[in-house]
Amino acid sequence: MSDCPRDLLYAESHEWLQDNHDGTATVGISAHAAEAMGELVFVEMPEVGTELALGNDAGVIESVKTASDYYSPVSGEVVAINEALEEAPGIVNEDPYGEGWLFKITLTDAEVGKADLLDAAAYQDTIIEE
């Protein structure tokens, strides 16, 4: 089972959120999701400037085994994408909580969606149940 950093919040759909404490947040997928998908071969990113609402499709991640949508865990505007993933999507497998982040988003409301997110312990409980 994957270790989940305790300073992040998690969606049941396996995205993580890191509050950057400047009105933005960084979003990625959990190590559990990356491991379950296997070797990633493509990551579709949202465009910078895209407005995402809580739960909106943000992009697609493809592996040698499957393709899966990923979702925005909060509402806001995409302000940056991890361009390194265009050439090396496997970074997500290697470092999902660091260099493998997907996008950064300005928060429409600092509390929007956070009530629906899980802390690390609660997320660990959901993946044990799978």
Side-chain angles (χ1 to χ4, degrees), residues 8-11 13-18 25-31 33-34 61 70-73 82 85 92 95-105 123:
L8 304 178
L9 295 172
Y10 299 86
S13 54
H14 305 293
E15 295 82 17
W16 57 261
L17 175 86
Q18 178 180 41
T26 302
V27 176
I29 65 164
S30 71
I61 297 176
Y70 64 92
Y71 307 95
S72 182
N82 188 346
L85 300 182
V92 175
D95 189 13
Y97 301 115
E99 296 299 315
W101 62 276
L102 301 174
F103 64 93
K104 295 184 180 185
I105 189 168
Y123 178 68

Side-chain angles (χ1 to χ4, degrees), residues 42-109:
F42 176 74
V43 179
E44 176 189 79
M45 303 286 195
E47 290 187 28
V48 171
T50 300
E51 291 283 338
L52 295 174
L54 170 67
N56 277 164
D57 288 352
V60 175
I61 297 176
E62 295 180 15
S63 72
V64 295
K65 296 193 294 186
T66 189
S68 181
D69 292 335
Y70 64 92
Y71 307 95
S72 182
V74 291
S75 297
E77 179 183 344
V78 176
V79 293
I81 60 168
N82 188 346
E83 294 179 6
L85 300 182
E86 292 174 6
E87 297 294 322
I91 295 170
V92 175
N93 294 106
E94 296 163 14
D95 189 13
Y97 301 115
E99 296 299 315
W101 62 276
L102 301 174
F103 64 93
K104 295 184 180 185
I105 189 168
T106 57
L107 301 171
T108 301
D109 178 340

